[in-house]
Amino acid sequence: MSGPAGTHDGTAEGATRWDALARAAARREAVEAGEVQHEYLAFRLGDVPYAIAVDGVREIVRMRPVTPVPRVPPEVSGVISLRGEIVQVVDLRRRLGMPEVEPSRSTRIIVLHGDVGEVSGVQVDGVTEVLRVVESDLRPPPSGESEFVSSICEREGRFVSVMNMQKVLDLGGS
Amino acid sequence: MSGDKAQREFVSEVEDILERMRDDIARLAEGVGAGAAADPRIVNGLFRSAHSLKGLSGMFGFDAMSELAHHLEDVLDGLRMGRSTLDHDGLSLFDEAVTLISSLVGKLDDDRARSDAEESIATLMERVDAWVAGPTESDGSRESEVDLPAAVLRALTEYEEHRLHENVAAGRNVFLADSDFEILSFEEGLSELNEAIQALGEPISTLPSPGESPDSQIRFSILLATTLDRDSLAEQLDLPAEQLHLVFEGEAQPAALTDAAATEATASEVEPRNEQTPADPGPGSEPSESSLKSISDTVRVDIRKLDELMNLVGELVIQRASIRKIAETLATEPATARVGAELEKVHRSLERKLADLQASVLDVRMVPLRQVFDKISRVARRLRVDLGKEVRLDIRGADTELDKLIVEDLVDPLMHVVRNAFDHAIEDPGERESCGKPVEGRVRIEAFQRGNDVVIQVSDDGRGIDADKVLERALERGLVTEGQELSPREILDLVFHPGISTREAVSTTSGRGVGMDVVRSNIAALGGIVTIESEPGRYTTISMTLPITLAIMQALIVGVGSQRFAIPLNSVRETLLVDPQEIQSSDGRELLNLRGEPLLLRRLSREFDIEPSDAGKLSAVVLGIGDSRMGLLVERLEGQQDAVIKPIQGPVSRVRGVAGATELGEQGAVLVLDVSALVEDALRGREAA
Amino acid sequence: MQRILVVEDSATMRSLIVSTLEDLDDLVKVDEAESGFEALRLLPRDDYDLIVTDINMPDINGLELVSFVRRDPKHAGARLLIVSTEGSDRDREKGLELGADAYLVKPFDPGELARIATELLASGSESPGSSD
């Protein structure tokens, strides 16, 4: 227990409260240690991990029927209805030139805020976690990396590509 | 160690609170010394501190500290609610309590010191309780005689309610002051307003609401008590009088500023708050009774709320369809036929009620065109002066109603058309005289309902459109080819082409056409169409036909391959079953003989590049926009549905031929066809992009 | 991913609440506001799934914040949890009447907060957490 002895009545709940507070303090210490903290939503395509800035994410929804739309680039797989809102879905595999797979139970559509209030959906194979990353974990992408990757983040020995969603969603106008 | 850090955090916050309490106690002591009543704001601040202390120490297991804070809180609550009055004994008790807690916090890790302090706490608490047992006043009636909107009343804390009643009992006027601020900078403006109010009386509560444009603005309704009347308050606060609603009228004579606060107010400099005061009529434009009435009889509703309501109705309509299916299934089985018939009866009544509900919701969205027309009259008045022309503007049908969202988007294109009429169509007085026309030109705007559409016509008796000149320009620009046969209507239609409708090209020669392409696309975006009629030298009439609402429409559901589409029923003239053999080809175009007239056909599968199924027969949906007709070939007709049409969001901003989409129950999203684009493309012989 | 906004003027209390909520799941993002005004500035920027607010605050009170959220269609899907030190029963009733979904009294057990928050998030919109 990290709570100082004698400061509470020794009850289990008193202890968990101090614990929670201590964890919060530790977290803040890391941030105050001069590191800017970023939050990324980690997701995957196959087994390859990717991440995007959490700030752009509005919500994550399960896969649902996608209605095809004519006269759009092939990366747009169609539209879905989100509580009455109609939102285009970009298939990230197609966008990155990866082979297509059948949607599975873990397939998700990440709904992103647009620049002017419009939202877009991006279909991924699964979302995994929210990464809290400090500046020193980030490095520039190696040369030859896809144009959609803005930086590489190292997590427990693995490298996660941080995507620039603005570029991903730039389908060259209409 | 982060454990230590957690503790330091706790201690430093407790110390901050204690510091604030010491300050407040000192300020109260000055007042008590001077024999004045305790300032309720300071007492309330002290109460809040004790309350926070109680919560914080309780949270981390400092039960004795929490207990003491709790007793203090009770006493202070009595004070702020007016159940007891403050004296020197009370103040010194508070002081002792703060000192005791402060010493306790300094020795959190010292068990002995802690148990000593806890004993002192116990005795102090007894003394605190004994002091409370002093004089008590009744809190008075909680019944409200104040005419407050429910939203404000419901969000008042018990203390704020008490302050309201105190002020009412003291005979002060109580107002609700509404003011809008930019979200990014509201704090500054609001605190200025609050300070100004403080100088004139007492701000009781501050209720935020979504502002006029909820993404960037926020509205605050400040409940305040003052001895001033509405006009002087409006003047002092520099707010338009209509933003001040009198919710309780006190007995105080507004002329006699006997109240201390009011006297102070007139003496002190009340900062004028020019920056965010809406530029509007001066104060006192309206008696307070009428504004009171306006609070109680009408509500301002965010259009998005209506959209949401409409969505819900739409969902109910979809659910209703499923109920009907169940009823039908039940009715066909002998064992359940009776239940099925019952259910069908219930369903029919549900259907009627839903239709009423839908109509009521739609009705709420409707606004008369008057507001747009008034705006146009104002602009016209200016135009007359600027242009030096004598023009009479007649307006008819201003009571015709349209969906508010359509009305908003209608202003620009309509203004454009009227401006064109004034600027280019109506000749100068001299020119008119020489053609034998009355010097005064005439422009007429007329609106009327036709079925489910509203038609707005703008006519002028100006120079009209010279079809030859238009054709000449079109030939120059290569829009039409030499020898191509065009009907007079088709020629006039060229005016809507972007290549033609520029000032240099047409306006000076034909008096028409500046930005007409923009007008057409604006109107098309609203699901409407624009047509033009003209006779050179005599008149031009531009007609805009718009759906009454975008919110909900009847749609025909059609199928091609594995896909479905919705077509707004108001542009469907008829549907025909077509044997592929009846389709005639000429010049790469497909035609159908429709009662002796050739009907241009388009295949939806080809248009949208959809794999067709091997359907034998096809259906032609005859689409009509104005006088233009075209047949759209589909494989299946799947019935009619109510549909709520929604814009499509995402990276591809516009898809030609698709107006939006709608949700159809389990089928998910279904695209709604943009009939005017499809018809236009077909008539122009344009191929799918 | 679930978005949570914590509105609480006590820094210690806020830390505790935020850290408890951050530990709920790998897929939560918690924003904090130290006053009602700050909350009003944050609200238009995001669609929150859950808003946790105190009642006693210096600028606007928690009831006013609850009332604001409930009257803004943008936040129709947001769940509201009032976390407040035991005080006026009337304020508590009002909070629930105004449309708060639950009320938690301080001092509370973080486990209890976690349980209520999880329940509210699950009952909210269709955003799934990290399940499967």
Side-chain angles (χ1 to χ4, degrees), chain B residues 13 54 156 158 161 187, chain C residues 10 12 41 86 88 94 108:
Chain B
E13 187 166 1
K54 175 182 85 168
L156 293 181
E158 200 170 1
E161 264 177 20
E187 276 178 64
Chain C
S10 156
T12 316
R41 263 184 284 114
E86 192 187 354
S88 158
K94 279 192 159 189
F108 58 86

Side-chain angles (χ1 to χ4, degrees), chain A residues 12-32:
Chain A
E13 34 180 79
T16 46
R17 286 168 202 171
W18 277 110
D19 261 1
L21 192 56
R23 277 198 305 279
R27 231 169 254 167
R28 199 156 327 117
E29 244 168 14
V31 177
E32 279 162 9

